[in-house]
Amino acid sequence: MGKSTNDADFVAQLRSQGTQRRDGGAGMILHTPPTGASKSLDELIDTDKSESRGSPNERRASAQHDESRAPDDSLGRLVSIDLLDTHPWNARVHRSAERVREIASQIAATRQLVPITITKNPDKPGHYFVIDGETRFRGLKLLNRREAWTLELDIDPKDPLAFYTASFKQTDATEAISPIDKGIKWGTLIEEGHATAAAIAEQLELAPSTVSRMVAYKKFPPAILDFMHSHADRFPYSVAAVLAQLVDRGMPEEAILAKCQEVVDSQHGRRAIEAIVKEAKSDTERKQRKSALVAIPIKAGATQVGSFRTYENGALEFKLSTAATLSSENYKVLSDVFEVVSGLISEGPDDLLAALEQRLAKIRGGN
């Protein structure tokens, strides 16, 4: 069924299922709109606490009774809150306590208007993972409700891409997922080897370039992501991709956070942000030159014509200002060697030395 329905039709359809209440009365237990004096959320929470008393064992026993209900699957069913578990591949990352309280207030004022979509938890018989509706789930728990209106889907919870795709499509249709949350999850799927950018794009019906640009968010540490999320309008993925260069260059977290604060305070456009990053790059490079661990000069006679350096942040640097000291043959060989090394680094072989020896042998053999 759809995610929402006319109140009168909803109540009539559920009651027409003929299921039995625990107290022996006919019809499902529904949270219909309240009457009488209005109450604050805290007052409603206190009221629901008194109505939801009972040990965990009693609630689980009641939940087993709930499992015996057999309403029309298209309408979903009521499931005990104690049988619902969150899943690490839920599509939403940032979910504020204020948003949970807002949803709890809406449920308390009317009822749960949208079902929570779930799928079976194979590791805990009788339990379910929440696919979409984790904020509603938390709101119901805040209200101490014993049951949630759910709709079950057949999704494999052990397939990260399949579960995420189902969660994304359901969750994004309810309330748009932020670009930051998308980038974090997409980057994690790729980083952990569960999917490629192309596979994610295909599942979500997006352009692969969109996925590739969005994963820039994954490079930032949690504190910076929280800051960006709280100022989401200032950090679209195009800006995040520019600022991610600071992470790539090893800038400390505190310094990057200061740059993010500068972006917010100054209301910079993208060009100005690119200038900030370029300036920061120059500062970082100057610091790197001061902290070289190894510095081997390359000389032509008494004149230094280049150098090889390694730095504390793991960077390597080879410079040759002139090739005048090399014969044309040796210049070609050196150029070929660096071309081979660059290609192998991009390919990422397990044994770099063996792969390099094999390629160099081909160069020596003229193949």
Side-chain angles (χ1 to χ4, degrees):
M1 67 178 289
K3 286 212 165 189
S4 62
T5 183
N6 175 275
D7 280 5
D9 290 344
F10 173 82
V11 173
Q13 288 181 70
L14 280 181
R15 284 181 172 157
S16 71
Q17 302 307 310
T19 53
Q20 296 295 313
R21 291 172 43 146
R22 285 185 295 276
D23 60 7
M28 276 190 182
I29 300 172
L30 300 175
H31 296 296
T32 51
T35 58
S38 62
K39 296 181 179 181
S40 68
L41 177 59
D42 290 329
E43 289 172 328
L44 287 164
I45 291 173
D46 290 337
T47 299
D48 281 354
K49 279 182 180 177
S50 65
E51 295 175 354
S52 303
R53 287 173 184 156
S55 68
N57 289 335
E58 290 172 334
R59 292 197 299 272
R60 277 191 288 271
S62 174
Q64 296 304 318
H65 173 80
D66 295 340
E67 289 294 295
S68 67
R69 302 176 180 178
D72 181 355
D73 287 343
S74 67
L75 291 174
R77 57 199 171 102
L78 296 178
V79 172
S80 169
I81 288 291
D82 293 334
L83 299 180
L84 301 182
D85 302 313
T86 57
H87 192 282
W89 287 109
N90 184 280
R92 202 178 299 283
V93 178
H94 292 90
R95 186 179 285 102
S96 68
E98 291 77 14
R99 179 58 177 162
V100 173
R101 288 181 64 85
E102 179 185 349
I103 293 299
S105 295
Q106 293 173 7
I107 294 173
T110 55
R111 59 175 170 82
Q112 184 191 340
L113 298 175
V114 182
I116 296 171
T117 53
I118 59 173
T119 193
K120 287 183 175 64
N121 182 346
D123 297 326
K124 296 170 67 177
H127 284 244
Y128 302 86
F129 282 121
V130 174
I131 299 173
D132 165 52
E134 188 174 323
T135 307
R136 274 162 272 150
F137 168 57
R138 296 189 186 191
L140 289 166
K141 291 184 71 174
L142 182 62
L143 291 168
N144 296 290
R145 294 287 168 84
R146 299 176 64 176
E147 297 171 312
W149 174 28
T150 66
L151 195 62
E152 186 176 347
L153 300 179
D154 184 18
I155 302 296
D156 182 1
K158 294 191 176 183
D159 183 334
L161 181 58
F163 190 96
Y164 174 80
T165 299
S167 180
F168 177 91
K169 291 182 176 179
Q170 292 276 323
T171 302
D172 199 53
T174 304
E175 182 182 353
I177 300 170
S178 73
I180 294 174
D181 285 3
K182 292 176 184 176
I184 293 171
K185 288 295 187 179
W186 297 352
T188 305
L189 282 168
I190 295 170
E191 188 178 88
E192 295 183 2
H194 301 306
T196 62
I200 295 171
E202 180 180 0
Q203 289 294 316
L204 304 182
E205 301 177 7
L206 300 169
S209 58
T210 299
V211 176
S212 298
R213 289 194 296 267
M214 206 80 81
V215 297
Y217 288 112
K218 182 63 176 64
K219 295 183 177 183
F220 296 99
I224 294 176
L225 287 171
D226 288 343
F227 180 85
M228 287 181 168
H229 193 268
S230 64
H231 303 279
D233 61 318
R234 299 298 304 139
F235 297 99
Y237 69 82
S238 57
V239 170
V242 174
L243 292 172
Q245 297 174 48
L246 301 178
V247 180
D248 295 337
R249 293 173 190 140
M251 178 176 281
E253 181 177 329
E254 297 78 7
I256 297 175
L257 197 55
K259 294 297 181 184
C260 290
Q261 185 66 62
E262 185 178 344
V263 169
V264 173
D265 293 342
S266 61
Q267 296 291 304
H268 283 320
R270 181 175 174 178
R271 288 183 180 274
I273 293 170
E274 288 175 342
I276 291 174
V277 171
K278 185 176 181 180
E279 179 184 354
K281 175 183 177 181
S282 299
D283 291 342
T284 302
E285 288 177 342
R286 283 193 290 270
K287 290 177 182 178
Q288 285 181 339
R289 283 194 285 272
K290 292 179 182 178
S291 58
L293 297 177
V294 175
I296 301 174
I298 300 173
K299 295 185 177 182
T303 305
Q304 182 170 333
V305 295
S307 66
F308 173 72
R309 296 170 181 261
T310 66
Y311 297 97
E312 292 177 353
N313 68 350
L316 301 176
E317 179 184 81
F318 179 86
K319 287 185 177 181
L320 189 62
S321 59
T322 177
T325 59
L326 297 173
S327 66
S328 58
E329 181 179 345
N330 285 339
Y331 178 85
K332 176 67 166 58
V333 169
L334 184 62
S335 178
D336 288 344
V337 168
F338 276 105
E339 183 177 341
V340 167
V341 170
S342 299
L344 287 175
I345 292 173
S346 299
E347 294 171 16
D350 293 332
D351 190 336
L352 179 61
L353 181 59
L356 180 60
E357 289 175 341
Q358 187 178 39
R359 298 285 179 87
L360 291 178
K362 289 183 178 181
I363 293 176
R364 183 179 292 277
N367 296 327

